[in-house]
């Protein structure tokens, strides 16, 4: 049996706006994403001695996750096999660390890790464009996660996520607090709220993308951070809204929701890689209120 373990990185959105609908029915978005160093270890193996050729076996450390075709990682393995049949049984295991249904692309990055892992074990029969095209059939965040799981940590995504441009990552040493308050959000529901409320989308992804291309300092980029889902989602997620407001008033240089939520992200100054006292105090107080707080950093 040959195997590989991929670090499936979570992502945050530095910018996210819904700009309409494509002709295929998908919502059109503009987004700038960057990976963080919170990750799920995803083991991908091919058991060539297993007589059940084409069989997919998935296990997960979190019993809340389905381990069949309802899991996006399982579907990623099946999709890979449509382009490159695998000789043997595909065995997958996800050690779940990224919050589920939190807007951090936890399911998407696991699926991307499966694609990257299988492609590696099979001798890379799919080049990067082919792998990204396959990833786009699984979900809007999966192509970026393929890039991130392969070492490209920031990107501009357009349309419904299938058009990707790798960007230089935001060079910030901040400590990030990812705050999950137990108010899960269904992505289809969040898009439905966008459709129903039609909130304005100020700002433009081109501005923040240009700033990253020119290696602008974080102080220039941070005022451009934006997530159009906040206005649609947070009124019905009061604990997430409160956590966001708390971080903004307790030392965060910037704070926003990630993806369709409800995870909220605070960026706190760090000194020589050491979290500031403000980050530690904010994390402790949020945990006292029952939130789960994950401390991490931007990948760059």
């Amino acid at each position: 049996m040959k195997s590989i373990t991929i670090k499936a990185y979570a992502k945050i959105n530095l910018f996210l706006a819904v700009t309409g609908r494509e002709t295929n029915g998908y919502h059109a978005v503009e987004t700038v994403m960057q990976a963080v160093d919170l990750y799920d270890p995803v083991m991908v193996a091919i058991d060539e001695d297993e007589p059940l050729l084409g069989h997919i076996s998935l296990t997960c450390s979190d019993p809340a996750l389905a381990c069949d075709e309802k899991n996006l990682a399982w579907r990623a393995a099946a999709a890979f096999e449509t382009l490159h049949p695998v000789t043997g049984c595909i065995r997958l295991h996800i050690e779940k660390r990224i919050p589920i249904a939190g807007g951090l692309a936890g399911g998407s990055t696991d699926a991307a890790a499966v694609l990257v892992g299988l492609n590696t074990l099979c001798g890379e029969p799919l080049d990067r464009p082919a792998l990204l095209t396959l990833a786009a059939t699984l979900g809007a965040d999966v192509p970026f996660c393929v890039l991130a799981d392969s070492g490209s940590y920031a990107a501009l995504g357009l349309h419904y996520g299938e058009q990707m441009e790798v960007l230089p990552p935001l060079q910030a040493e901040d400590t990030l607090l990812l705050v999950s308050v137990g108010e899960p959000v269904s992505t289809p529901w969040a898009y439905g709220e966008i459709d129903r409320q039609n909130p304005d989308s100020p700002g433009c992804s081109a501005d923040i993308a240009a700033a990253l291309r020119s290696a602008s300092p974080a102080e220039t980029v941070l005022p451009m951070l934006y997530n159009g889902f906040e206005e649609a989602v947070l009124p019905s997620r009061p604990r997430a809204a409160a956590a966001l407001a708390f971080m903004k008033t307790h030392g965060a240089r910037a704070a926003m929701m990630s993806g369709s939520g409800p995870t909220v992200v605070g960026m706190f100054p760090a000194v020589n890689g050491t979290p500031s006292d403000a980050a530690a105090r904010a994390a402790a107080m949020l945990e006292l209120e029952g939130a789960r707080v994950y401390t991490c950093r931007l990948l760059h």
Side-chain angles (χ1 to χ4, degrees):
M1 184 168 69
K2 52 187 178 181
S3 68
I4 187 172
T5 297
I6 303 290
K7 291 182 178 179
Y9 291 110
K11 64 84 186 154
I12 63 170
N13 297 83
L14 304 180
F15 185 95
L16 177 57
V18 179
T19 58
R21 279 187 181 268
E22 298 290 331
T23 55
N24 59 10
Y26 285 98
H27 286 84
V29 300
E30 294 182 14
T31 182
V32 175
M33 296 167 281
Q34 185 158 338
V36 300
D37 64 1
L38 175 66
Y39 66 90
D40 293 341
V42 178
M43 188 278 294
V44 182
I46 299 175
D47 187 350
E48 296 172 330
D49 297 325
E50 170 61 57
L52 293 175
L53 300 184
H55 177 68
I56 300 170
S57 170
L58 170 64
T59 57
C60 181
S61 64
D62 189 333
L65 281 184
C67 288
D68 54 19
E69 62 274 10
K70 293 188 288 291
N71 190 298
L72 195 59
W74 192 101
R75 298 204 298 272
F80 183 87
E81 281 212 298
T82 64
L83 296 184
H84 184 80
V86 175
T87 303
C89 173
I90 297 173
R91 300 190 184 280
L92 311 171
H93 178 74
I94 300 169
E95 192 66 27
K96 199 64 190 165
R97 298 175 181 174
I98 302 170
I100 299 170
L104 298 170
S108 295
T109 194
D110 293 343
V114 170
L115 295 179
V116 171
L118 286 174
N119 201 46
T120 300
L121 292 176
C122 293
E124 299 190 349
L126 304 183
D127 60 16
R128 175 173 280 193
L131 204 60
L132 292 176
T133 298
L134 179 60
T137 68
L138 296 165
D141 286 339
V142 183
F144 171 71
C145 293
V146 166
L147 294 174
D149 294 350
S150 304
S152 297
Y153 297 133
L156 168 68
L158 299 175
H159 291 231
Y160 57 94
E162 88 287 7
Q163 294 188 11
M164 305 292 301
E165 177 196 344
V166 174
L167 294 172
L170 174 60
Q171 299 290 323
E173 300 302 326
D174 296 59
T175 297
L176 271 62
L177 300 185
L178 309 184
V179 183
S180 175
V181 294
E183 296 176 323
V185 168
S186 159
T187 300
W189 173 85
Y191 274 105
E193 289 299 289
I194 287 278
D195 291 339
R196 185 176 69 83
Q197 299 180 28
N198 193 29
D200 294 332
S201 295
C204 176
S205 63
D207 295 336
I208 188 170
L212 293 175
R213 292 190 199 99
S214 63
S216 296
E219 289 72 19
T220 299
V221 177
L222 294 185
M224 302 179 187
L225 303 186
Y226 170 76
N227 187 334
F229 279 98
E230 288 183 8
E231 185 178 342
V233 169
L234 290 181
S236 65
R237 299 297 188 274
R239 294 186 65 209
L244 182 64
F246 176 87
M247 289 191 290
K248 287 180 177 179
T249 57
H250 285 76
R253 293 209 294 168
M256 64 282 188
M257 193 170 74
S258 184
S260 56
T263 300
V264 291
V265 183
M267 298 179 63
F268 290 79
V271 180
N272 297 323
T274 302
S276 66
D277 290 342
R281 286 195 300 269
M285 294 177 71
L286 287 163
E287 287 174 338
L288 283 174
E289 294 296 320
R292 293 187 66 181
V293 181
Y294 303 79
T295 302
C296 62
R297 298 174 65 185
L298 294 170
L299 285 172
H300 48 77

